[in-house]
Amino acid sequence: MITPHQVIVRPIVTEKSNDLVSANNQYVFEVHKDANKIEIRSAVEMVFGVRVQAVRTQMVRSDLRRVGRFYGRKPAWKKAIVTLHAEDSIDLYGEES
């Protein structure tokens, strides 16, 4: 059994994810590969104390990289886009006290 802190690997903080936060109250997380939408929903609600309306997931494929003459792969990972209730928010930067 995966604990809620193991389900959420890290938040994804990019320009596109910040636009999702401001426009649609959606947050993007890297999650455990084996986690399903129900586990992701309960983990976000438990860890951050918010109400989740919807969860969308996608698998990010592994990427071929080259350094000089050597080739390697970056690992595949799972992304979750979590839509929160209109009155809730998550403080990813630690600005609120």
Side-chain angles (χ1 to χ4, degrees), residues 14-61:
T14 61
E15 193 171 340
K16 187 173 183 178
S17 68
N18 286 336
D19 289 342
L20 286 175
V21 170
S22 61
N24 303 329
N25 203 21
Q26 294 178 331
Y27 292 84
V28 183
F29 297 99
E30 179 181 346
V31 294
H32 194 275
K33 274 184 160 183
D34 298 331
N36 59 27
K37 291 183 180 186
I38 297 167
E39 293 171 340
I40 294 168
R41 178 190 195 107
S42 64
V44 170
E45 287 177 346
M46 182 181 290
V47 171
F48 296 108
V50 294
R51 295 172 290 176
V52 174
Q53 283 189 333
V55 177
R56 295 185 300 158
T57 60
Q58 74 182 65
M59 287 298 299
V60 180
R61 295 186 311 195

Side-chain angles (χ1 to χ4, degrees), residues 64-72:
L64 186 66
R65 294 293 171 109
R66 183 177 146 187
V67 178
R69 64 185 182 132
F70 301 104
Y71 288 90

